[in-house]
Amino acid sequence: MADQNYIIGVDIGTTSTKSVLFTEAGKVVGKALVTYPLYTPDVATAEQDPEEILTAVVKTVQKLMEAYVLNPSQVLGLCFSSAMHSLILIDAAGQPLTPSITWADNRSAGWEKRIKADMEGHAVYRRTGTPIHPMSPLVKLAWLRHEQPELFQSAARFISIKEYVFYRLLGRYVVDHSIATAMGLLNLETLDWDPGALAIAGVSPSSLSELVPTTAVLTGLKPEMANAMGLREETPIIAGSSDGVLSNLGVGAIASGLVAVTVGTSGAVRAVVDRPITDPQERLFCYPLTEHHWVIGGAVNNGGIALRWVRDQLADAEVATAKRLGQDVYGLLTKMAAAVPAGSEGLLFHPYLMGERSPLWNANARASFFGLSVKHTKSHLVRAVLEGIVYNLYLVLKALEDFAGPATLIQATGGFAESPLWRQMMADIFNREVKIPEHYESSCLGAAVLGLHGLGRVPSLDMVSTMIGATYRHQPIPENVTVYKKVLPVFEHLTEVLAREYDAIAALQAELGDIDLPSR
């Protein structure tokens, strides 16, 4: 429609960038997706090419403009969501000295313990809200400063992938409060760079970007970038926030009692509070959405990746069957799991295949089955893996409720939300109603709503509630709840017991991995 106004939500993710065109009322008009690789030459490295991501941003916006927008003046603005915890070193000419080092990069693992033990890491966490962990740019900076000093000293700027995109679009180094907090360098109370964190990282404010609110309206698109995307040079860019924070907004989980749970490859449990809060046990993060909305919660490394491991390592027969029948192998695996009763007849799986963030914050955490007996089948293994993922999310929810209050409703999104078994399993384990919002592009919708708010087109973020329908609702099944209430204390106790051994088993695996064992 020639007289329709639009807003574009752009979500820069770990494996793809998605842009979604919304009307002012929040209706999806169209979407575009461009994928790119995550470079993992070894088990500890996880990097991306900043130029590939910039190209994806430009292409997705260009596709929307060409397909759906009659006149560029109809676009009110673009608001950006982005994955957190990335780090790029930039030289004085604005050129990257490194790839984008992502949250999944684990090369700085040794420095988290040093920062915690010798550099008042706990106090830094309480001030900044980002746990001391290899995902954090603070820890990455300490690692580079001490172990790659020549590279570190040659850098003029230390930025995230979102800042890189903004620099290329606008010619300015700007960072919103949410992404800055996720760097582990921003003080939650002052919303300014934290001197203690900067001292650990070895950087100064002059080597960081200009801090702006998440609702900041930025102008001055470079002519060549505006032309490439099909936009006017005057089109506003709203700074936006991080993907997890905007996902909460995008599913409407901003009121008391509402909790957002997202499970894709990884996962997260999040709620919104009205002031910054940190956890004395360091299980939770805290990032700003606006000056009146703060998102607290925990991110987990192990979501769908655990089910993918089952597919790759245990399910050759099911993969072949699915291929022969033209079916989805995950559908076959969940059908197997559905044939096993709740609780997997006493078989437990701790899902820490990729180390773990919340609630353990231990990169050395390892996965395990506990309770195996001869009566357990492959179907039991599959169900135990699915349950173990949700058990771990329950531990995060339990920690979250200590600070955000009891959860009354779970808003669930992500790839797992497509599975009726998983949705019901979550309702039963959490013993809460689970609702699946109609919008799956929650981070993009959150960005669109925040953008409209920043532009003054809507008075309050509460308008998001009018944009979200529900596709499915699940109530807890009482008999399953009874079973899980017996299982969860055992799972939690074992988590505490095994945590004492994770460093030892990680060291043993590293040692044995370097030894050529004799063949038999």
Side-chain angles (χ1 to χ4, degrees), residues 248-265:
N248 259 64
L249 176 58
V251 299
I254 59 174
S256 177
L258 300 183
V259 171
V261 177
T262 303
V263 186
T265 302

Side-chain angles (χ1 to χ4, degrees), residues 127-151:
R127 296 196 304 269
T128 65
T130 298
I132 307 299
H133 183 271
M135 70 171 187
S136 170
L138 167 65
V139 180
K140 294 180 175 76
L141 286 166
W143 160 63
L144 290 168
R145 175 189 181 188
H146 292 280
E147 297 191 20
Q148 298 189 45
E150 291 185 8
L151 173 63

Side-chain angles (χ1 to χ4, degrees), residues 291-359:
E291 64 273 23
H292 304 299
H293 303 84
W294 298 78
V295 175
I296 64 170
V300 303
N301 288 352
N302 300 277
I305 195 168
L307 189 57
R308 188 170 71 189
W309 175 83
V310 170
R311 179 201 68 185
D312 294 344
Q313 304 302 330
L314 303 178
D316 286 351
E318 288 73 27
V319 169
T321 299
K323 185 175 182 180
R324 185 177 71 253
L325 299 177
Q327 296 181 6
D328 176 24
V329 65
Y330 291 116
L332 292 182
L333 290 173
T334 53
K335 186 179 292 186
M336 291 168 59
V340 174
S344 301
E345 296 189 287
L347 178 62
L348 301 178
F349 178 69
H350 283 78
Y352 309 130
L353 291 163
M354 297 286 292
E356 192 50 283
R357 288 180 285 172
S358 190

Side-chain angles (χ1 to χ4, degrees), residues 232-275:
R232 298 175 302 137
E233 293 176 37
E234 297 82 9
T235 304
I237 301 291
I238 300 88
S241 186
S242 56
D243 53 1
V245 167
L246 287 172
S247 182
N248 259 64
L249 176 58
V251 299
I254 59 174
S256 177
L258 300 183
V259 171
V261 177
T262 303
V263 186
T265 302
S266 56
V269 182
R270 303 175 302 268
V272 172
V273 293
D274 60 3
R275 66 191 189 284

Side-chain angles (χ1 to χ4, degrees), residues 143-163:
W143 160 63
L144 290 168
R145 175 189 181 188
H146 292 280
E147 297 191 20
Q148 298 189 45
E150 291 185 8
L151 173 63
F152 185 86
Q153 293 299 329
S154 62
R157 295 270 181 178
F158 305 92
I159 65 174
S160 70
I161 186 60
K162 188 177 183 184
E163 294 161 75

Side-chain angles (χ1 to χ4, degrees), residues 14-89:
T14 303
T15 56
S16 66
T17 285
K18 178 184 291 183
S19 291
V20 181
L21 184 70
F22 296 93
T23 67
E24 279 192 88
K27 180 182 178 181
V28 174
V29 177
K31 61 188 77 172
L33 177 78
V34 172
T35 63
Y36 33 75
L38 179 67
Y39 297 101
T40 55
D42 56 65
V43 70
T45 303
E47 298 177 325
Q48 294 175 315
D49 182 341
E51 281 298 306
E52 289 179 338
I53 294 175
L54 174 68
T55 298
V57 170
V58 172
K59 284 186 175 179
T60 55
V61 175
Q62 177 193 46
K63 288 179 179 180
L64 293 178
M65 296 298 294
E66 289 180 347
Y68 302 105
V69 181
L70 297 175
N71 188 331
S73 64
Q74 294 175 268
V75 177
L76 299 171
L78 281 67
C79 188
F80 280 77
S81 163
S82 174
M84 294 179 279
H85 311 303
S86 58
L87 177 66
I88 308 170
L89 274 59

